[in-house]
Amino acid sequence: MDKLIYNEIKALLKAEVPELNWIDLDCGQLDTQQRPAVALPCLLVATNINNTETLFQDGSSYAQNCNTSVTITLGFEPLGVTNTAAPEDVVSKSLQPYDIIDKVQKKLQGLETMNIEPLIRTSQGKKNSRNGLFQYQIKFATTVFDEA
């Protein structure tokens, strides 16, 4: 199921958000004190099954609805100057990561397939970074149908 969600997100964002230089599963690449081995800006995907509801069980097969959270972590170079004393063109360039964040959120909001109910944003915000990069997370909830 993780593979299904990742592949859907990867395919959509690779086509629709060309500003992203790296899309990958989240394996802790940004959780380091050194510069991570990814091309920035990057997007990392993590999924968790929070709980399940068994729909039917028939001998050796069963089906479940899996309430799943999807965490999108975006990594960027450190933001530049954004204070009110800075020239407007400098501030505008420094805030460009927010354009990518907005684009990603809008592309993923409502994403659905035959086995994945629409992704619904549950939260988003800046993530603390130990390596000086600007990191941002967007969390979504969905239900995935799993027939085993």
Side-chain angles (χ1 to χ4, degrees):
M1 177 179 33
D2 295 337
K3 181 179 173 182
L4 175 70
I5 293 170
Y6 172 71
N7 283 332
E8 291 293 335
I9 290 172
K10 179 183 71 169
L12 174 67
L13 296 181
K14 185 176 180 182
E16 299 287 332
V17 188
E19 299 90 340
L20 293 170
N21 291 322
W22 190 275
I23 300 173
D24 202 352
L25 285 172
D26 192 338
C27 299
Q29 297 94 318
L30 299 179
D31 298 331
T32 176
Q33 292 183 358
Q34 289 78 35
R35 177 132 181 121
V38 298
L40 300 173
C42 71
L43 180 139
L44 305 174
V45 180
T47 58
N48 289 305
I49 297 174
N50 301 318
N51 58 56
T52 63
E53 174 190 2
T54 300
L55 302 174
F56 67 83
Q57 187 168 359
D58 182 19
S60 63
S61 68
Y62 62 92
Q64 292 182 311
N65 276 333
C66 302
N67 295 320
T68 304
S69 59
V70 179
T71 302
I72 302 297
T73 302
L74 294 125
F76 302 92
E77 295 291 346
L79 292 181
V81 178
T82 58
N83 67 66
T84 58
E88 189 55 40
D89 61 326
V90 172
V91 173
S92 179
K93 183 172 173 36
S94 296
L95 294 176
Q96 283 178 345
Y98 286 102
D99 296 334
I100 297 172
I101 292 165
D102 288 344
K103 193 172 183 180
V104 166
Q105 187 276 321
K106 287 177 178 148
K107 294 295 180 185
L108 293 181
Q109 180 76 17
L111 173 66
E112 67 180 313
T113 68
M114 193 163 85
N115 290 330
I116 303 172
E117 290 188 11
L119 292 177
I120 303 298
R121 177 180 50 181
T122 59
S123 67
Q124 72 179 59
K126 184 181 178 306
K127 180 182 176 193
N128 290 330
S129 170
R130 297 184 301 170
N131 54 22
L133 298 179
F134 175 58
Q135 295 184 38
Y136 199 90
Q137 283 189 332
I138 309 171
K139 296 184 180 186
F140 295 89
T142 187
T143 301
V144 180
F145 179 73
D146 183 24
E147 187 172 12

